[in-house]
Amino acid sequence: MFNRTDDKITTSQAGVFLTNTVLGAGILTMPRSITQDMKTPDSWLTILLGGIIVMLAILLMVKLSQQFPGQTVFQYAGRIAGKFPSKVLCLLLVVYFILIAGFEIRSLAEVTLFFLLEGTPIWAVILPFIWVGTYLVLGGINSIARVFQIIFPITILVLLASYGFSLRLFDINNLRPVLGSGVLPVLHGLKSSVLVYTGCEVVMTLVAFMQHPHQAVKAMMGGIAIPFALYFLTIVFVIGGLTADAVITSTWPTIDLIRSFEYTGFFVERLEFPLMVIWLMQMFCNFCSFFFQASLGVSQLFKFSITSVIYVMVPLIFLAAMVPKSIQDVFALGDAIGTMGLTLFLLLPVLLSFIWIIRKKGLKQHV
Amino acid sequence: MSFLSSIAHHIPDWIVFCQALIALLVPILATRIYKTLHSFVGTGKNLDTNKVSQTLESTRAATPFSGDYQTDLQAILSKIGSNSDLHTREFPLTKLNARGTLFCVDGMQNERILNMKMMEFLMFKATGDVLAEPSKAEDLLPFSSLSTISDIDNFNRSVLFGHAGLLIEGMPHGLLIEFPNGANRSIDEPVSEALIRGPRLGFSEVLSENTSMLRRQGFSDQLEMKSYLVGTRLQKDLVIAYMKDIVNPDLLQEVQTRVNNLNSDFLADSGYIEQLIEDNYLSPFQQVQNTERPDRVINALLEGRIAILLDGTPFALIVPVTFSMLLQTPEDYYERWIPGSLLRMLRFGAAFVALMGPALYISLIAFHPGLIPTELAISIIETRQGVPFPALIEVLILEVSIEILREAGIRLPKPIGPAMGIVGGLIIGDAAVQAGIVSPFLVIVVAVTAISSFSIPTYSAGVTLRLLRFVSMMFAAFLGMFGTILFFLLLCSHLTKLKSFGVPYLTPASPFRATDWKDLFFRAPLSLMKRRPAMLKTKDSKRKS
């Protein structure tokens, strides 16, 4: 057919979707949050370790989703765990998505107010942003995936270029000694390093939208490998450029790194400007992804039309973004979201797969 | 207790809840307005088909020729005889021993030839069999065509459209001889799409000339043209042209349906058709490309697109269109690939400047002077010192005057145009700086923006960008860089939702089609372009065997 009527996304779109969902506020804050927990420059090891754990988790989620082709977690959870318990679990997931969306948009507003628009009321930053997001989300997963595809290469290009330019500050000695305090701090930072990957739960809905679900493993592994590599680069460059001690005291260490050098003679002397631009666009992707997932969840759980659910989501996300009173609250919310993500991971894919295996293999039921 | 109180502490106050309510209401209202507007006008896709066919039926309700010479003559004259430009001439046919009448309209026929040759033939040579069976007798006729017509209303319409008509005693139908031959202009270079290198041929107002130009592009039996009559009151010919072995049949079906659904009493220009068949009339972006160049049309046909040509206009339409097509010119392919690619990338850059230039100026000057190099910022701010307006008003003054200048330049007679350019551009610009209304730096920005928008090869796309430039300025004026980024995201969201005849508007950038990237920002060497664009899902995808 010439006109596509099915709302499916291609393999590469699915990969980019996951990348853009995971790559969010973390780029700016992650070096601090991990180093704070560890107090050593070994955070890059933690990121590697955390990444591998997340990859395994994603593999599990993909495999589980592939058992129910064309269905999202909101639909197949009921078939595995029964109607009521699955509804509770999925609602938790929806709340989690709303909270992340609110958190992302709030950190975006904080950064914008701090660096770009001092003195502007916060709602004036948040409201237009949510509305533009609403316009995009109303277009369905295909439109969202296409916007991601446009923004993704710009992001990567600018991000890598800014890191490349920061090489003049880079000092390998800042990353030494490797494992100077032993392996223990690395394990200690593991929790916060897994938290940077929050949002990878979207895999459980994404697989259902794929045109070729059998390529899901490839797409999702590719999709998570990119933020994995970028986070690794970020932490190496930020700590290598600023030292671990400086990173702990800075609120937005990545921006501080980019602000701390100048290339005179360029039209834009400091690269913080392009970095802010792509980061804002990236946050938009991020936010839209969670916005869409939350709306999709509610509409599939309760059989509402997705359009009306999207409208109702708008004030909910706005409230979620406005609840933290201060920037400390925002970071506390971020930590809470991380813990919630871990719990949800244990509850949803792990528990569901467990039940599914028992019912399928043990009780020989047809699920 | 402390847990509860901390929750209570975090419940936002009522202002936030009011804002949340606003957050809810604005998108709902916006959608409501959008939907109302949409259902009010409707799109090209879903017009009421029944209504159209009914109106056509009613206009075609026919009165046939009775066969009685006097009655038919009276019937014709009573219907169209009051036209002062209609000439009737009654004459005897000696061989048939009958009378006949010739009808023709002023200015549409070569009167001398009509009088001399045809009259001689009709009066002295014409026999019953020759006129009764035109197909057999064509060799004998001194005129190029002869056809019978059995319905008086149709006969009247054809005569008034310029055919020469004949009514002969004893024949139960009218005869049409000679095609209309009205006033035309000669074929010219396409005015709106000039090239340095490449064919200079442009379409004219005559449909048959335009289709012949397409045919003359090369030998092929696969170039198919289907003709339609459009318009309910003043009917016109419309031709859909495509390559039979390339075009996707579903796409062709879609175009035919939309053309069949056209419902308008008169289609003055292909612009009417464009607006009646487009997917989304609320979008600022055109979803149909118009062109005056036959070479552009034929290239589009070979990519698997479809062209729509209308009688009476030199602008052909090409569907489906994607955004990148609007920034490409045929010259990209006529020049060698390196300059072709570079010029194309330059044009993409120019389109970006044309869209975002003033918005970036406003956000950098009014909101974030710290983001540009300090010395530059200081010198800009120094020049702005005497300017009493905020950046937005300053930009608006200059931008609006540039737009007025441009609009005036189009309407002015050719000899005055450049003079006005000098007065408008140089004198007013300089005087505005001297008078301290705008800063000299802004004059540079606005001039660069204007020149950038001139470099966009499709005029209507240029208009779209000019219009959106003002929107982007508003966003920048409210939220600075943040607003500009929001505008960009909004534009991206809109463009990704937009489709032209089922093809996403931003293909191949997104949905990503790697094979089509050879011809996006970059024009690969011709020897590498072995396939037609994948987005059009053509029957035959290979350009080379």
Side-chain angles (χ1 to χ4, degrees), chain A residues 25-46:
Chain A
I27 300 182
L28 297 194
T29 55
M30 173 266 299
R32 174 181 45 85
S33 58
I34 296 181
T35 318
Q36 250 173 359
D37 284 356
M38 301 178 51
K39 312 263 189 314
T40 66
D42 288 334
S43 7
W44 56 276
L45 273 172
T46 323

Side-chain angles (χ1 to χ4, degrees), chain B residues 54-106:
Chain B
Q54 266 174 15
T55 18
L56 281 183
E57 283 307 308
S58 63
T59 50
R60 277 179 192 156
T63 22
F65 282 93
S66 65
D68 178 38
Y69 176 68
Q70 269 312 328
T71 337
D72 286 339
L73 187 62
Q74 278 314 314
I76 293 171
L77 285 180
S78 71
K79 281 196 171 152
I80 59 172
S82 54
N83 287 303
S84 55
D85 60 344
L86 180 79
H87 292 280
T88 55
R89 180 172 165 181
E90 206 163 359
F91 57 91
L93 285 91
T94 45
K95 281 207 174 165
L96 273 175
N97 198 16
R99 280 174 306 157
T101 307
L102 179 77
F103 301 88
C104 70
V105 171
D106 253 355

Side-chain angles (χ1 to χ4, degrees), chain B residues 33-308:
Chain B
I33 294 171
Y34 179 83
K35 284 212 172 122
T36 320
L37 277 175
H38 231 280
S39 60
F40 183 62
V41 183
T43 60
K45 278 188 283 189
N46 38 28
L47 277 173
D48 193 355
T49 326
N50 297 328
K51 207 169 64 193
V52 184
S53 48
Q54 266 174 15
T55 18
L56 281 183
E57 283 307 308
S58 63
T59 50
R60 277 179 192 156
T63 22
F65 282 93
S66 65
D68 178 38
Y69 176 68
Q70 269 312 328
T71 337
D72 286 339
L73 187 62
Q74 278 314 314
I76 293 171
L77 285 180
S78 71
K79 281 196 171 152
I80 59 172
S82 54
N83 287 303
S84 55
D85 60 344
L86 180 79
H87 292 280
T88 55
R89 180 172 165 181
E90 206 163 359
F91 57 91
L93 285 91
T94 45
K95 281 207 174 165
L96 273 175
N97 198 16
R99 280 174 306 157
T101 307
L102 179 77
F103 301 88
C104 70
V105 171
D106 253 355
M108 301 273 217
Q109 298 286 346
N110 192 329
E111 311 245 345
R112 229 166 51 118
I113 297 180
L114 253 190
N115 283 340
M116 308 259 302
K117 280 200 176 159
M118 291 182 200
M119 280 305 157
E120 190 191 340
F121 174 79
L122 289 168
M123 288 162 87
F124 305 117
K125 293 186 187 155
T127 58
D129 346 323
V130 172
L131 294 173
E133 281 179 86
S135 53
K136 283 186 188 167
E138 256 159 29
D139 322 347
L140 299 169
L141 302 176
F143 30 80
S144 54
S145 81
L146 174 66
S147 57
T148 61
I149 197 157
S150 59
D151 145 35
I152 291 191
D153 289 320
N154 245 336
F155 180 79
N156 288 348
R157 271 199 288 270
S158 307
V159 166
L160 289 181
F161 189 64
H163 291 269
L166 257 184
L167 183 67
I168 288 166
E169 191 177 2
M171 287 190 147
H173 46 66
L175 296 166
L176 292 180
I177 55 177
E178 290 289 321
F179 286 118
N181 185 20
N184 289 316
R185 68 176 170 101
S186 62
I187 291 166
D188 265 331
E189 244 185 273
V191 183
S192 65
E193 289 163 279
L195 287 189
I196 303 289
R197 180 174 179 181
R200 304 230 178 272
L201 194 65
F203 282 131
S204 74
E205 276 81 0
V206 186
L207 183 64
S208 56
E209 276 175 17
N210 294 347
T211 49
S212 72
M213 278 180 217
L214 283 185
R215 294 266 183 221
R216 288 286 303 275
Q217 299 280 331
F219 288 110
S220 168
D221 56 351
Q222 294 298 329
L223 172 58
E224 197 164 81
M225 301 191 183
K226 285 252 167 79
S227 160
Y228 293 79
L229 268 181
V230 291
T232 47
R233 189 158 292 278
L234 281 180
Q235 290 193 322
K236 260 189 177 186
D237 279 321
L238 175 146
V239 162
I240 296 182
Y242 50 90
M243 298 301 289
K244 209 164 42 175
D245 55 345
I246 297 176
V247 74
N248 183 302
D250 291 325
L251 174 66
L252 183 61
Q253 184 58 45
E254 176 73 32
V255 173
Q256 284 171 338
T257 322
R258 291 196 196 181
V259 167
N260 276 327
N261 282 352
L262 281 175
N263 182 8
S264 171
D265 62 349
F266 178 55
L267 297 154
D269 184 88
S270 52
Y272 279 45
I273 296 176
E274 171 178 355
Q275 293 168 59
L276 288 171
I277 64 174
E278 67 189 353
D279 293 67
N280 180 355
Y281 80 98
L282 283 174
S283 167
F285 289 91
Q286 64 189 95
Q287 294 132 53
V288 176
Q289 189 178 28
N290 54 67
T291 179
E292 285 188 83
R293 303 190 62 89
D295 54 333
R296 197 169 204 160
V297 172
I298 202 79
N299 277 321
L301 296 190
L302 282 169
E303 285 179 349
R305 299 180 208 272
I306 295 175
I308 301 172

Side-chain angles (χ1 to χ4, degrees), chain A residues 166-187:
Chain A
S166 80
L167 264 179
R168 57 197 267 178
L169 289 181
F170 184 76
D171 183 1
I172 191 78
N173 288 325
N174 287 341
L175 286 166
R176 285 178 183 157
V178 178
L179 293 182
S181 332
V183 193
L184 216 59
V186 174
L187 297 178

Side-chain angles (χ1 to χ4, degrees), chain A residues 2-3 116 123 125 127 131 135 139 146-147 149-151 266-267 269-270 273 280 284 311 314-315 325 329, chain B residues 9-10 19 23-24 27 31 248 368 370-371 373 481-482 485 489 494 496-497 501-502 506 510-512 536-537:
Chain A
F2 194 75
N3 267 309
L116 291 177
W123 55 265
V125 173
L127 280 184
W131 289 334
Y135 178 68
R146 281 188 212 142
V147 169
Q149 251 177 343
I150 299 172
I151 291 174
F266 262 23
F267 182 72
E269 277 181 333
R270 275 171 299 148
F273 172 56
L280 285 176
F284 178 76
Y311 292 131
V314 174
K325 294 267 179 198
D329 281 359
Chain B
H9 171 72
H10 277 103
Q19 288 163 354
L24 172 67
T31 322
N248 183 302
H368 330 292
L371 291 177
M481 206 57 228
F482 183 72
I485 296 168
L489 292 170
H494 174 70
T496 51
K497 284 181 171 187
F501 285 79
L506 283 185
S510 115
F512 183 79
L536 292 165
K537 298 175 187 158

Side-chain angles (χ1 to χ4, degrees), chain B residues 296-360:
Chain B
R296 197 169 204 160
V297 172
I298 202 79
N299 277 321
L301 296 190
L302 282 169
E303 285 179 349
R305 299 180 208 272
I306 295 175
I308 301 172
L309 296 95
L310 182 72
D311 193 26
T313 173
F315 284 93
L317 303 177
I318 300 174
V319 291
V321 62
T322 54
F323 182 70
S324 58
M325 270 171 78
L326 305 177
L327 296 178
Q328 298 170 354
T329 75
E331 214 170 3
D332 295 349
Y333 304 92
Y334 303 152
E335 277 294 342
R336 297 181 60 249
W337 73 277
I338 300 177
S341 304
L342 282 175
L343 289 176
R344 185 180 279 184
M345 281 184 241
L346 189 71
R347 245 175 271 131
F348 273 90
F352 182 79
V353 173
L355 185 64
M356 293 294 202
L360 286 175

